Amino acid sequence: VFEASSNGIVICDCDNRIKRVNAAFSGLTGFNSIELIGKNPNILGSGRHSLSFFEDMFLRLGSTGFWSGNIWNKTKSNELALHSVSINVVFSEKEEKTPLYYVATYQDITEQDRVGREALHRATHDPLTGFLNKKALIDGLSRQVSLCERHGNMLSVFFLDLDSFKPVNDTYGHEAGDFVLKIVAQRLQSLFRESDLL
């Protein structure tokens, strides 16, 4: 079962050192078993997770014996991969709360994540300018107004009108009008912060 599984499986000892990996895990990470055995799983660290992320993980493992979630890892070829990870603790029979092994299963969900993020972006952004669409802008603006009311902050809203835009479409066609909108969008994007809603 260990070798035949399509999910990557890694077994670590109580000191969090890798004892064994299956072929699917090597396939996911690019590392063979010789390169991994005896190492800490943080050899795959992407730097995308905070120390508190892993502290919470080990707290949950210690209290419930189980943790699952998504972890960004770095493969041997330095590519980022998003893995769905489930970890179970194998406790000592003599001392119930003493972990003997950690057994983790890994599944690559990088592509599903990319497709999901693209679908969300398409649902919330204008395809021409890349700015938030009307519904997403209203939702975002409502959240910002609520936050400002709660914390007593101020909020600025700018409305920009393009003078004589209709004649561009009428004279040169919609492709030219779309081009103008894209250029204006790019210039506006360069003027605002990433946290601003456009």
Side-chain angles (χ1 to χ4, degrees):
V1 171
F2 182 80
E3 286 303 336
S5 175
S6 59
N7 289 336
I9 303 174
V10 60
I11 300 172
C12 294
D13 63 18
C14 60
D15 295 321
N16 208 25
R17 298 287 169 194
I18 297 171
K19 301 298 284 182
R20 192 164 176 204
V21 298
N22 69 351
F25 187 80
S26 292
L28 288 175
T29 64
F31 291 98
N32 64 44
S33 60
I34 294 168
E35 295 169 308
L36 291 170
I37 290 176
K39 302 279 192 327
N40 187 299
N42 65 14
I43 190 174
L44 304 173
S46 66
R48 283 198 165 192
H49 302 283
S50 65
L51 183 60
S52 63
F53 174 87
F54 293 103
E55 287 171 349
D56 291 343
M57 174 196 295
F58 278 99
L59 279 172
R60 179 73 60 85
L61 285 169
S63 62
T64 67
F66 177 76
W67 181 88
S68 72
N70 298 335
I71 299 178
W72 284 99
N73 286 317
K74 198 174 276 191
T75 65
K76 185 178 179 179
S77 60
N78 278 330
E79 292 177 20
L80 285 175
L82 184 62
H83 294 143
S84 174
V85 181
S86 296
I87 306 172
N88 288 283
V89 181
V90 178
F91 290 104
S92 167
E93 290 179 20
K94 295 176 185 173
E95 299 175 47
E96 288 181 15
K97 284 296 179 184
T98 303
L100 288 179
Y101 297 101
Y102 298 96
V103 179
T105 58
Y106 286 68
Q107 191 173 19
D108 191 335
I109 59 168
T110 311
E111 183 61 17
Q112 294 99 303
D113 178 68
R114 185 190 64 75
V115 169
R117 279 187 288 111
E118 283 181 1
L120 178 63
H121 190 271
R122 281 193 305 273
T124 58
H125 288 75
D126 174 67
L128 183 66
T129 62
F131 288 172
L132 292 174
N133 62 22
K134 184 178 178 180
K135 183 186 180 322
L137 179 64
I138 291 170
D139 291 347
L141 199 52
S142 296
R143 278 193 301 276
Q144 292 300 318
V145 168
S146 296
L147 284 170
C148 286
E149 286 174 347
R150 186 178 315 143
H151 299 291
N153 295 333
M154 302 285 286
L155 177 71
S156 296
V157 179
F158 294 91
F159 179 81
L160 188 69
D161 184 40
L162 295 180
D163 289 340
S164 305
F165 180 69
K166 188 178 182 319
V168 172
N169 273 335
D170 293 345
T171 307
Y172 302 106
H174 288 285
E175 282 186 18
D178 287 353
F179 180 74
V180 169
L181 287 176
K182 285 181 184 177
I183 294 298
V184 170
Q186 289 168 1
R187 290 182 181 178
L188 284 172
Q189 189 79 58
S190 70
L191 299 173
F192 288 88
R193 300 168 303 184
E194 204 171 307
S195 58
D196 294 329
L197 302 177
L198 290 174

